Amino acid sequence: MKKILLVLSLCLLLISTIALAATETEKVYSLDGKGYRYEKDGWIYVHIEGEPFERGFQHGYLVADQLAEIRKSLEYLTYWDSGKDWGFFVEQAEKMWECHIDSEIMQEICGIAAGTTYAGIPFTWQEIMAWNGYEELMDYWWPTEMERTYNKIHPGADDRCSAFMAVGSATKGGKIVMAHNSFNNFEWGQFANVILDIVPADGFRIFMQSQAGYIHSMADFFITGAKLMGTETTIGGFKEYDESGAPEFYRVRKAMQYSTTLDEFVGYMLYENNGGYANTWMVGDIKTNEIMRFELGLKFYKVDRTKDGYFIGFNAPLDPRIRNLECTNTGYADIRRHQGARQVRLEELMEQYYSGIDAEIGKVVLGDHYDVYLHKINPCSRTIDAHYELDAREYMSETGRPLPFRPRGAVDGKVCDSDMALNFTMWARWGNSSGTPFDASEFLEEHIQWDYLEGYLIDRPTQPWSLFKAGK
C-alpha cells in the first residue's frame, strides 16, 4: 500500500507545475512558493511545509544535490567500515522499522525519495529511511549483530557532542539558555549543515539543525511551536539494542512535532523504545521556565527537572544503572578521556559564568580549548571544542577510542535562549565551534593513514556565527 501511495502521489505532483526560481544575490531556491532554500556561511537553510508527502517532496527536491554526495559516501564508506554493502543495511532497516512508522511519517519519507528522484537523483523510500537511521544501524544494531553472529566484541556505541542547558539564577535574566556542538568523524559530520524549518499540516512547527534527507535532527538542536527547546549528547559505550522496537529517529520526530509538555516528550521517547541512539536529552519548556535532563537507555531511564540551575552533557550518564548495566567503559571521571575531561571543564565554566550565562557566553563555552588533564590551552580530544585531528592520543586509557589523529571533532556550534526560541531564532556556526579551519588535502598529506578518505572529506574554512530565523 505504501508503494502504491508513493506512485499515485508522485503522479499527481508530476502533473502539477513545478516552478524553481533563484536569485543570485540571495541564493534562494523556491519550489511552488512553499518549499525554499538558501545558503549562508556554510549552512543550507531549507523550509518545507504542508501535508506529509508534499513537504517531503519539497525537501527531497531542494536537497537532491546534497543527497547525491551523501549516497556516494554511503556506498563507499559503509562497505569500508563494515565489510557489508549499503544495500545490506537498507534491507535490514526495512525489515526492522517499516512496521513501526506511521502513515504520516512514511508519506514524508516517500515524498523525500520522490522529490529527489524528480530532481534527477533516483532514491527509494527504503534508502531514505535507512539514511535517517544510519547512526542507529552502524553504531547500535550492527555491533550487536557482529557480536551475535561473528563473535566480535562489542565496544559500545561511539560518543559525541558537548552541551548545556541553564535557567533561573544561573542565567542572565533567568531565561533558559542552551548550547550544543556536534562532533563526529568528519566524513559524516560534514553533512550536518542543514537548518531545517518544517511547518507540518498537523502538529507543531519544528526548527532544527539537521542533514539533507532527514525527518529528524540527529545533531539534536531544536525549537518547536509548542514552546519547547531541546538538545542532547550521546551516551558513550552503550551496548543495548532491541531490534523489535521503534527507531529513535521516528520517536524523536513524533516527540518534537506533537509534544506540548516535558512529560509528553518523555512519553513519546519511551514508547516502543529500542535503545537506539541512546542519549542524555536536555529539554526546556519556555511556558513554565523549567528544564529537564532525561537519560534514556533501553531498560532504564532517569528524569531530573529544575527551574533553577543547569545540566551539562558530556557523553557519560549519571544514572548508575545505565552507566554500569547498559554501558561499557563510559569514561566517566577519567580526565584522560574526553568524557571525564569535559565533565570537569563544563562544570568549571558553568560555575565561572553562573548568574550571567546567556547566548554570548554559550558561544564562549562551545569554543573552549582548555585541557584539564594537562592544565593548559591545548585543542585536542579532551576539550569542549573537540579536535581529535590534532591529538596524538598519548594518554589514551582505552586503545582505539578513537585512533591518533582521527579526522574527528567539533563541526559546528549552536546557541539560543528562550526569548530567541519564541521567535524561532538561533545562532549557528558551521565548520567548528571556535572557527578553527580544516583543510582536507593538507590533513591527508600529513596523515597518510587516512588516505582512503580522499575525495570523501570536505574543507571547512573558518565561518562566522550566523543568526537564523525560521521563515526568513
Side-chain angles (χ1 to χ4, degrees):
M1 282 298 296
K2 291 172 182 173
K3 292 182 180 178
I4 294 172
L5 173 64
L6 170 60
V7 172
L8 291 174
S9 301
L10 179 57
C11 288
L12 290 172
L13 279 165
L14 294 181
I15 292 170
S16 66
T17 302
I18 296 179
L20 180 66
T23 67
E24 197 165 319
T25 55
E26 295 283 334
K27 290 187 179 177
V28 176
Y29 301 83
S30 177
L31 181 65
D32 279 349
K34 291 185 176 181
Y36 60 88
R37 65 172 273 181
Y38 66 85
E39 299 174 19
K40 179 181 179 182
D41 298 331
W43 295 97
I44 301 169
Y45 176 97
V46 177
H47 171 92
I48 59 174
E49 60 181 88
E51 297 295 336
F53 190 91
E54 177 188 22
R55 62 181 183 255
F57 188 93
Q58 296 163 24
H59 185 165
Y61 188 81
L62 292 169
V63 300
D65 50 349
Q66 278 72 42
L67 277 169
E69 286 298 309
I70 287 169
R71 183 162 59 190
K72 173 187 168 186
S73 292
L74 286 168
E75 292 175 343
Y76 172 69
L77 293 171
T78 300
Y79 181 70
W80 182 277
D81 291 339
S82 71
K84 294 286 189 177
D85 63 29
W86 169 228
F88 168 79
F89 291 98
V90 173
E91 291 177 7
Q92 184 61 34
E94 183 178 4
K95 288 178 187 176
M96 288 193 298
W97 299 337
E98 181 187 9
C99 61
H100 294 285
I101 298 177
D102 66 18
S103 176
E104 179 194 16
I105 301 303
M106 184 59 74
Q107 286 182 59
E108 186 170 337
I109 289 171
C110 289
I112 294 171
T116 306
T117 300
Y118 187 78
I121 311 294
F123 261 85
T124 66
W125 65 265
Q126 292 93 334
E127 286 181 285
I128 296 297
M129 181 171 65
W131 167 231
N132 270 268
Y134 191 73
E135 171 67 27
E136 189 168 317
L137 285 169
M138 299 302 294
D139 220 17
Y140 295 80
W141 174 76
W142 179 236
T144 304
E145 180 68 13
M146 286 276 284
E147 192 168 69
R148 180 169 57 235
T149 305
Y150 298 99
N151 201 29
K152 295 278 189 179
I153 296 175
H154 183 353
D158 280 347
D159 25 59
R160 51 180 59 87
C161 310
S162 300
F164 76 79
M165 183 171 282
V167 72
S169 64
T171 67
K172 190 174 182 179
K175 65 187 72 172
I176 299 172
V177 179
M178 72 173 179
H180 177 276
N181 67 7
S182 311
F183 61 91
N184 200 342
N185 294 341
F186 288 166
E187 65 268 27
W188 294 116
Q190 65 195 7
F191 295 124
N193 66 331
V194 173
I195 303 292
L196 184 58
D197 177 25
I198 305 176
V199 184
D202 297 305
F204 297 103
R205 187 177 200 157
I206 307 168
F207 188 50
M208 61 184 173
Q209 180 191 9
S210 187
Q211 301 195 47
Y214 271 19
I215 63 162
H216 62 128
S217 173
M218 207 284 281
D220 290 308
F221 192 88
F222 62 87
I223 301 164
T224 81
K227 300 181 181 179
L228 298 181
M229 52 196 293
T231 189
E232 54 80 12
T233 61
T234 51
I235 296 175
F238 194 80
K239 292 195 64 169
E240 301 295 317
Y241 190 75
D242 178 5
E243 60 185 64
S244 68
E248 181 272 346
F249 71 82
Y250 169 70
R251 289 181 286 118
V252 75
R253 170 55 189 272
K254 298 294 285 189
M256 289 189 291
Q257 187 171 340
Y258 289 104
S259 296
T260 60
T261 66
L262 300 179
D263 287 336
E264 288 181 3
F265 186 93
V266 170
Y268 275 107
M269 295 304 295
L270 289 176
Y271 182 70
E272 294 191 324
N273 173 31
N274 68 348
Y277 201 38
N279 289 317
T280 297
W281 296 93
M282 285 170 275
V283 185
D285 188 338
I286 303 169
K287 302 182 296 296
T288 61
N289 211 42
E290 183 177 27
I291 63 175
M292 170 180 73
R293 177 177 58 208
F294 170 34
E295 295 182 320
L296 177 60
L298 175 61
K299 301 179 183 72
F300 307 106
Y301 73 94
K302 187 173 190 297
V303 175
D304 295 292
R305 296 164 67 154
T306 186
K307 293 185 178 183
D308 191 62
Y310 59 83
F311 297 125
I312 58 174
F314 50 92
N315 301 128
L318 295 174
D319 189 315
R321 299 168 303 169
I322 299 173
R323 188 172 65 251
N324 293 292
L325 303 178
E326 297 192 310
C327 299
T328 179
N329 197 2
T330 63
Y332 186 90
D334 183 350
I335 61 172
R336 296 169 297 178
R337 294 268 296 277
H338 70 89
Q339 300 99 323
R342 287 179 299 121
Q343 177 186 8
V344 171
R345 186 58 179 159
L346 281 166
E347 191 79 27
E348 288 177 346
L349 291 170
M350 292 296 98
E351 292 301 320
Q352 177 182 337
Y353 294 113
Y354 200 91
S355 79
I357 297 172
D358 60 9
E360 291 305 310
I361 294 299
K363 295 176 186 178
V364 173
V365 171
L366 293 181
D368 188 74
H369 282 158
Y370 188 77
D371 180 350
V372 300
Y373 185 58
L374 298 183
H375 302 290
K376 65 179 184 179
I377 299 296
N378 177 40
C380 65
S381 63
R382 292 179 296 277
T383 51
I384 294 172
D385 184 38
H387 292 274
Y388 291 83
E389 83 279 16
L390 303 177
D391 197 334
R393 304 285 281 160
E394 308 100 310
Y395 311 107
M396 285 193 292
S397 58
E398 183 181 358
T399 57
R401 285 182 68 90
L403 297 173
F405 301 111
R406 182 68 166 92
R408 174 183 175 86
V411 296
D412 61 40
K414 295 88 53 186
V415 181
C416 80
D417 61 35
S418 48
D419 288 345
M420 295 173 67
L422 285 172
N423 292 298
F424 290 98
T425 304
M426 68 172 74
W427 285 104
R429 187 174 204 175
W430 179 243
N432 183 264
S433 305
S434 64
T436 305
F438 176 74
D439 185 301
S441 59
E442 183 179 291
F443 174 85
L444 292 173
E445 184 176 344
E446 184 175 353
H447 302 287
I448 61 174
Q449 67 269 36
W450 305 105
D451 62 1
Y452 75 90
L453 292 172
E454 185 172 358
Y456 295 89
L457 283 180
I458 299 171
D459 292 342
R460 299 195 317 280
T462 299
Q463 299 283 7
W465 282 96
S466 306
L467 191 64
F468 289 93
K469 180 175 174 59
K472 182 177 179 182

